[in-house]
């Protein structure tokens, strides 16, 4: 059976006596194993990074950018391979898998312009003969801890910017689908990246703790559940590290009475059920304003759900595939039962779905709830599966209040033709990313990604200029070149505004 090993110092590396199963979500069978490392494997990666990083930081930004260009071309040429590998371990359909790779690649494209964004600031004549300038310098060794649901995009969000800025990077991907992160590291090496600058170590909590505790790792980026994000942020910052930790979500879609419901239904079908709902930017809660809007939306939503095709990840006509593991399937189905027990109306029940010929696969049919109430635990918590919940609001103000008061604040959308309502909503809603007639408002790569409240811990977002700030530190230089004046006319004086 295939074993996925660590990638340390430019080579595959064994280590660690424990292994974790990698499932084929389509069949329910184990297809490979991944080695789970310890602090010993991490130390080997840190040693390799320490040996390589100073020279990489001294490499001029234009040469670093050329490696990003080469990596981009390699990823594009290997797109089919990467998508198929990703799909085989995660379960998302090939089209979604290609989207996963492409959205990460867009951050790499941003990194190709790193010489420009690393330019500092300069003030001539801040005082008598005094100039002041600033520069951004790399932190040293950085690390990323990434989730199973985007095994290509999120690693590239992190390591692309960090490496372009001159850091070495150690990636700890999810043990559920680790093959694509390793393949990306191999392609980066093929693009010309020196050994030791991008490395991959596998593991569970033991490896996470080793990363958070290692004194040579200066910054950690994390994406996962909110409870673990809080833990990572707390432990990492206690150890003096810079930490950004992105957590869970419960994104809402507000539907105003004037919205184009045909477009809304089409958007919801993709945003709520695409990738089996395993997205932190999925849209699992729809909030129609007024019972008339809710009734019309429900009437249109049911046939749209019935038309969804659930299939194996290689089925080109499938709208979505299986969830990642049997445990996750059970967790989603338990939340559906919780919603029923709490009194929500289960309009469409996706439990018990079986795909002919793949009866042991981790498939869940789409589910729709109506009359969900804000006090229900199934509404408060992230389900992370193909489940859409309808919460009816009587007014715009009530609809605005729901996402604003929810414990998560990752993304939100409003569907309307009313420009005033959209502008008012975007200004007032207490959520980090807002879509106006856009169901999944993930910003483009040269802007930044980040939520509020329990969706994010730390004060710096992912990628874009926020990413550059996170992976660098600012140095400010105040300089004066004495002209040798015998009367001391150019003596140093602290610059003031007076």
């Amino acid at each position: 059976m295939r074993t996925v090993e660590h990638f340390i110092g430019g080579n595959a590396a064994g280590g660690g006596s424990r292994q974790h199963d990698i499932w084929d979500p389509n069949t329910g069978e184990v297809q490979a194993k991944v080695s789970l490392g310890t602090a010993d494997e991490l130390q080997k990666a840190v040693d390799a990074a320490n040996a390589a990083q100073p020279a990489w930081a001294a490499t001029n930004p234009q040469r670093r950018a050329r490696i990003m260009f080469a990596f981009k071309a390699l990823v594009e040429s290997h797109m089919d391979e990467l998508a198929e590998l990703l799909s085989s371990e995660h379960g998302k359909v090939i089209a979604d898998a290609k989207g996963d790779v492409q959205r990460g690649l867009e951050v790499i494209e941003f990194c190709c312009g790193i010489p420009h964004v690393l330019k500092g600031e300069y003030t001539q004549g801040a005082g008598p003969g005094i100039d002041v300038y600033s520069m951004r310098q790399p932190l040293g060794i950085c690390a990323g801890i990434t989730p199973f649901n985007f095994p290509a995009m999120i690693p590239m969000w992190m390591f692309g910017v960090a490496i372009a800025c001159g850091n070495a990077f150690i990636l700890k991907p999810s043990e559920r689908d680790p093959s694509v992160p390793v393949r990306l590291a191999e392609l980066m090496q093929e693009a010309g990246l020196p050994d030791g600058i991008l490395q991959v170590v596998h593991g569970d909590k033991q490896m996470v703790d080793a990363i958070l505790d290692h004194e040579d790792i200066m910054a950690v980026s994390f994406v996962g559940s909110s409870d673990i994000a809080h833990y990572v942020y707390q432990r990492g910052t206690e150890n003096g590290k810079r930490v950004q930790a992105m957590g869970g979500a419960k994104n809402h879609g507000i539907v105003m009475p004037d919205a184009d419901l045909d477009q809304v239904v089409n958007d919801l079908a993709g945003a709520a059920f695409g990738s089996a709902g395993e997205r932190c930017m999925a849209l699992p809660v729809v909030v129609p304003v007024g019972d008339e809007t809710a009734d019309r939306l429900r009437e249109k939503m049911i046939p749209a759900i019935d038309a969804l095709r659930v299939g194996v990840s290689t089925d080109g006509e499938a709208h979505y595939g299986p969830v990642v593991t049997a445990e996750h399937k059970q967790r989603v189905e338990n939340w559906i039962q919780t919603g029923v027990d709490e009194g929500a109306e289960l309009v469409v029940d996706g439990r018990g779905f079986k795909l002919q010929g793949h009866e042991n696969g981790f498939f869940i049919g789409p589910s729709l709830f109506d009359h969900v109430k804000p006090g229900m635990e199934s509404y408060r918590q992230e389900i992370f599966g193909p489940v859409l919940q309808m919460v009816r609001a009587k007014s715009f103000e009530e609809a605005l209040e729901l996402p604003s008061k929810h414990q998560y604040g990752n993304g939100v959308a409003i569907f309307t033709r009313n420009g005033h309502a959209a502008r008012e909503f975007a200004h007032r809603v207490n959520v980090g990313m807002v879509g106006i007639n856009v169901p999944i408002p993930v910003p483009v790569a040269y802007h930044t990604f980040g939520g509020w409240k329990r969706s994010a811990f730390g004060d710096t977002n992912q990628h874009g200029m926020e990413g550059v700030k996170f992976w660098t530190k600012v140095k400010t230089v105040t300089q004066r070149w004495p002209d040798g004046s015998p009367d001391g006319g150019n003596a140093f004086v602290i610059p003031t505004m007076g």
Side-chain angles (χ1 to χ4, degrees):
M1 182 172 286
R2 180 172 65 95
T3 300
V4 179
E5 302 288 6
H6 312 284
F7 187 79
I8 297 174
N11 297 290
S17 58
R18 298 177 301 133
Q19 291 186 323
H20 187 276
D21 291 336
I22 302 173
W23 297 88
D24 180 344
N26 297 291
T27 65
E29 298 175 350
V30 176
Q31 60 167 304
K33 303 279 188 178
V34 58
S35 297
L36 300 181
T38 65
D40 291 338
E41 284 68 51
L42 178 64
Q43 186 59 52
K44 292 174 184 176
V46 169
D47 290 343
N50 272 325
Q53 192 271 333
W56 177 244
T59 301
N60 71 61
Q62 190 170 358
R63 291 185 181 275
R64 296 202 298 263
R66 288 171 185 162
I67 289 177
M68 293 293 163
F69 274 109
F71 176 66
K72 173 183 179 293
L74 283 170
V75 170
E76 289 170 338
S77 66
H78 288 267
M79 178 65 80
D80 290 342
E81 172 202 345
L82 290 167
E84 289 167 8
L85 185 58
L86 191 160
S87 178
S88 71
E89 293 182 354
H90 176 280
K92 64 177 69 178
V93 297
I94 296 293
D96 269 347
K98 288 184 176 180
D100 188 331
V101 177
Q102 181 59 40
R103 290 310 297 260
L105 200 58
E106 289 168 7
V107 174
I108 300 301
E109 291 172 342
F110 169 79
C111 295
C112 291
I114 203 67
H116 174 72
V117 300
L118 284 180
K119 291 187 301 183
E121 298 175 321
Y122 193 97
T123 298
Q124 182 179 16
I130 296 172
D131 304 324
V132 180
Y133 63 94
S134 64
M135 63 185 81
R136 290 199 167 272
Q137 294 187 324
L139 302 176
I141 301 176
C142 304
I145 302 166
T146 57
F148 77 87
N149 60 321
F150 283 96
M153 180 184 76
I154 295 177
M156 283 193 272
W157 277 8
M158 296 179 185
F159 74 64
V161 182
I163 289 171
C165 289
N167 299 289
F169 194 88
I170 298 172
L171 173 64
K172 205 298 288 183
S174 171
E175 59 273 24
R176 298 179 187 179
D177 46 9
S179 294
V180 166
V182 172
R183 189 72 186 106
L184 291 173
E186 293 171 346
L187 291 175
M188 188 66 97
Q189 183 187 39
E190 187 177 339
L193 192 70
D195 295 347
I197 298 301
L198 176 57
Q199 302 175 93
V200 183
V201 293
H202 306 292
D204 48 18
K205 184 179 184 296
Q206 186 175 345
M207 180 61 79
V208 170
D209 287 347
I211 289 170
L212 296 174
D213 294 343
H214 202 294
E215 62 182 4
D216 286 355
I217 295 176
M218 299 290 102
V220 176
S221 183
F222 171 88
V223 176
S225 70
S226 288
D227 287 344
I228 303 302
H230 189 198
Y231 170 82
V232 167
Y233 181 77
Q234 191 170 41
R235 185 159 179 163
T237 53
E238 284 177 353
N239 286 323
K241 302 186 190 310
R242 186 179 293 187
V243 181
Q244 56 179 192
M246 307 299 172
K250 194 77 172 189
N251 306 324
H252 293 55
I254 313 304
V255 182
M256 298 296 290
D258 68 333
D260 181 341
L261 289 191
D262 290 331
Q263 185 63 54
V264 170
V265 167
N266 184 61
D267 287 347
L268 285 174
F273 302 110
S275 197
E278 294 173 317
R279 296 170 173 158
C280 66
M281 288 299 287
L283 198 65
V285 179
V286 60
V287 183
V289 177
D291 281 333
E292 182 184 356
T293 306
D295 291 341
R296 289 190 295 124
L297 179 62
R298 171 173 166 163
E299 183 180 355
K300 289 177 176 289
M301 199 71 226
I302 293 171
I305 290 174
D306 291 340
L308 290 173
R309 179 185 175 102
V310 182
V312 294
S313 56
T314 54
D315 181 353
E317 297 183 1
H319 293 96
Y320 72 86
V323 296
V324 68
T325 62
E327 290 79 10
H328 190 62
K329 175 184 176 181
Q330 187 61 56
R331 177 181 180 276
V332 173
E333 293 184 342
N334 288 345
W335 276 119
I336 295 173
Q337 184 59 47
T338 298
V340 173
D341 295 342
E342 291 178 319
E345 180 188 357
L346 184 56
V347 181
V348 180
D349 188 354
R351 294 173 296 178
F353 179 90
K354 296 290 184 182
L355 187 65
Q356 186 175 2
H358 296 81
E359 287 79 7
N360 294 323
F362 310 140
F363 296 95
I364 306 176
S367 294
L368 173 66
F369 278 101
D370 194 1
H371 301 289
V372 175
K373 303 299 182 184
M376 295 179 178
E377 194 66 13
S378 59
Y379 165 77
R380 293 188 65 254
Q381 302 299 332
E382 183 177 36
I383 295 176
F384 220 61
V387 181
L388 177 62
Q389 296 173 296
M390 185 182 294
V391 182
R392 296 177 178 228
K394 295 178 181 179
S395 65
F396 172 82
E397 291 295 331
E398 184 181 339
L400 173 68
E401 189 175 86
L402 286 167
S404 294
K405 288 189 173 181
H406 201 280
Q407 64 170 330
Y408 296 120
N410 212 39
V412 68
I414 184 169
F415 300 92
T416 182
R417 292 184 174 98
N418 187 320
H420 173 73
R423 185 175 185 273
E424 186 79 0
F425 181 83
H427 177 70
R428 293 173 56 193
V429 72
N430 186 26
V431 174
M433 291 175 282
V434 180
I436 298 174
N437 297 312
V438 175
I440 303 180
V442 178
V444 292
Y446 42 90
H447 286 265
T448 64
F449 179 101
W452 291 358
K453 296 177 284 188
R454 279 180 53 79
S455 290
F457 299 87
D459 56 3
T460 311
N461 285 353
Q462 298 270 358
H463 64 70
M465 282 307 300
E466 286 281 287
V468 173
K469 292 176 182 177
F470 182 78
W471 298 114
T472 59
K473 52 193 175 186
V474 176
K475 180 180 288 182
T476 306
V477 179
T478 303
Q479 69 175 11
R480 178 173 69 105
W481 298 103
D483 61 8
S485 173
D487 61 1
N490 70 337
F492 175 74
V493 178
I494 296 293
T496 67
M497 297 299 292

